[in-house]
Amino acid sequence: MNRFIIPLFTFISLFWTACNDDDKPTDIVKEIAMSVSSETGIMYAPSDTDKEHPIECMLIKTEDNFKEWQPLAFGAIEGFTYERGHEYELRVKRTILANPPMDAPDRTYTLVSILQDRLVTEPEIPDDKEIQSEEDIEYEESCPINKYAIAMGKELLVDSEGNIRYNNGDRLPSYDMARLWIENILPKDDPNWIDLQRIPYMATYIYVLSPLTDEIRLIRNGSSGPMFKDVVPEDEFNHITGSMQAGEELHYALILANVYKLGLQKLEFTLKKQ
């Protein structure tokens, strides 16, 4: 009897091991298209739960998540070296890890090929048309549109130390590095989605309407939104941190404009002194 029991036990063990191997999760590998912005963004280390130490990083879009720019660490694409001021179209191999290391990304990227590498030069902001009031701003055909929104809400909090926070308490980087994140909220099932992705409907510039001056300033918009210091210049920020009382508010308006300086959409936000 024993000579039958041992082979049977071996067979069951091998069968059980094979079943376990079949059930074991595996990495998902796929070759995808990726766009890399000429501008950089910021990200935070997983341990930086208070978001007090921003880290400069790349901004990317992938073919299956092309709605908004996402942060990605420099050097996160094996075989690829990023140069500031260059925008890229890449083919990469993406591996979604079945068992990622603790406190590490759940995916890795390896460069397959560089399809396009273009140096982006910052054009000078044209000043051939004088804008003295909001009524002087002309709008692009089919505009205003409801394509963009300020991420994380319309209210920012500023304290006397110059710390900037979202209304939910999340802290932005320092004044010099903070950005007003503007996202594309237009749903892809909108019948005009394709048409509204064309250059005439891209927010290249921003007219800033400040409550502290009658002057309308034209600034350059970034790929993910303007720098906070361009929207709220240093003298205005010093007024907020030094002169305003707790609970006081300032209401700003941003009129997004395309490369032809034609208006697209008006966005408003509030700065509240803590």
Side-chain angles (χ1 to χ4, degrees):
M1 290 292 291
N2 288 343
R3 63 180 179 176
F4 294 106
I5 293 175
I6 293 174
L8 179 60
F9 176 78
T10 303
F11 172 78
I12 293 174
S13 298
L14 292 174
F15 178 78
W16 179 254
T17 301
C19 289
N20 282 345
D21 287 341
D22 290 341
D23 294 338
K24 184 178 180 180
T26 58
D27 297 343
I28 301 174
V29 182
K30 182 181 179 181
E31 185 175 311
I32 61 171
M34 175 185 289
S35 298
V36 184
S37 173
S38 61
E39 298 185 18
T40 59
I42 57 169
M43 61 188 300
Y44 299 89
S47 58
D48 188 7
T49 54
D50 293 331
K51 298 184 177 181
E52 295 180 341
H53 305 287
I55 303 168
E56 188 181 16
C57 64
M58 298 184 292
L59 293 172
I60 67 163
K61 290 181 180 179
T62 57
E63 63 182 40
D64 50 1
N65 187 13
F66 210 75
K67 188 173 182 179
E68 60 186 33
W69 294 101
Q70 301 291 330
L72 184 67
F74 295 133
I77 306 174
E78 184 180 350
F80 173 70
T81 301
Y82 176 80
E83 291 189 51
R84 291 173 178 80
H86 289 243
E87 65 178 18
Y88 302 89
E89 298 295 332
L90 310 177
R91 295 294 298 180
V92 299
K93 181 179 73 173
R94 180 184 65 196
T95 303
I96 300 178
L97 303 174
N99 295 296
M102 185 176 297
D103 293 332
D106 66 347
R107 61 199 60 197
T108 63
Y109 299 97
T110 302
L111 179 68
V112 175
S113 62
I114 299 177
L115 305 178
Q116 179 178 318
D117 175 358
R118 186 170 74 91
L119 176 62
V120 177
T121 56
E122 285 288 329
E124 294 183 3
I125 296 177
D127 57 2
D128 55 333
K129 181 178 179 180
E130 188 174 1
I131 302 294
Q132 295 184 334
S133 68
E134 184 177 346
E135 288 70 28
D136 294 330
I137 300 174
E138 299 178 15
Y139 276 78
E140 178 64 46
E141 184 181 4
S142 300
C143 292
I145 54 176
N146 187 30
K147 177 180 177 179
Y148 297 100
I150 297 177
M152 301 294 288
K154 297 181 180 181
E155 184 176 76
L156 295 176
L157 309 175
V158 180
D159 63 24
S160 58
E161 302 298 322
N163 297 311
I164 311 167
R165 298 182 184 275
Y166 291 113
N167 197 31
N168 65 0
D170 287 349
R171 185 172 171 179
L172 277 75
S174 65
Y175 170 75
D176 289 332
M177 294 187 64
R179 185 184 295 275
L180 275 179
W181 293 91
I182 294 179
E183 57 184 346
N184 184 349
I185 61 170
L186 190 71
K188 287 191 175 182
D189 58 359
D190 188 293
N192 299 313
W193 193 89
I194 294 178
D195 186 56
L196 294 179
Q197 304 311 307
R198 296 185 299 112
I199 287 177
Y201 301 99
M202 294 182 181
T204 305
Y205 299 113
I206 295 177
Y207 293 100
V208 180
L209 283 65
S210 166
L212 298 177
T213 177
D214 292 331
E215 177 188 2
I216 295 180
R217 294 182 296 107
L218 183 64
I219 65 172
R220 180 79 180 184
N221 186 31
S223 58
S224 299
M227 297 300 293
F228 182 85
K229 64 182 179 181
D230 292 336
V231 176
V232 183
E234 190 171 5
D235 59 336
E236 296 186 13
F237 191 67
N238 290 338
H239 169 78
I240 296 168
T241 57
S243 301
M244 288 176 55
Q245 300 299 314
E248 285 190 74
E249 299 178 347
L250 290 178
H251 303 280
Y252 283 78
L254 308 178
I255 298 182
L256 309 183
N258 63 17
V259 69
Y260 310 114
K261 298 187 300 177
L262 297 175
L264 302 175
Q265 180 181 351
K266 184 176 181 179
L267 299 176
E268 297 177 289
F269 72 96
T270 299
L271 288 179
K272 185 175 182 179
K273 179 67 176 294
Q274 283 188 301

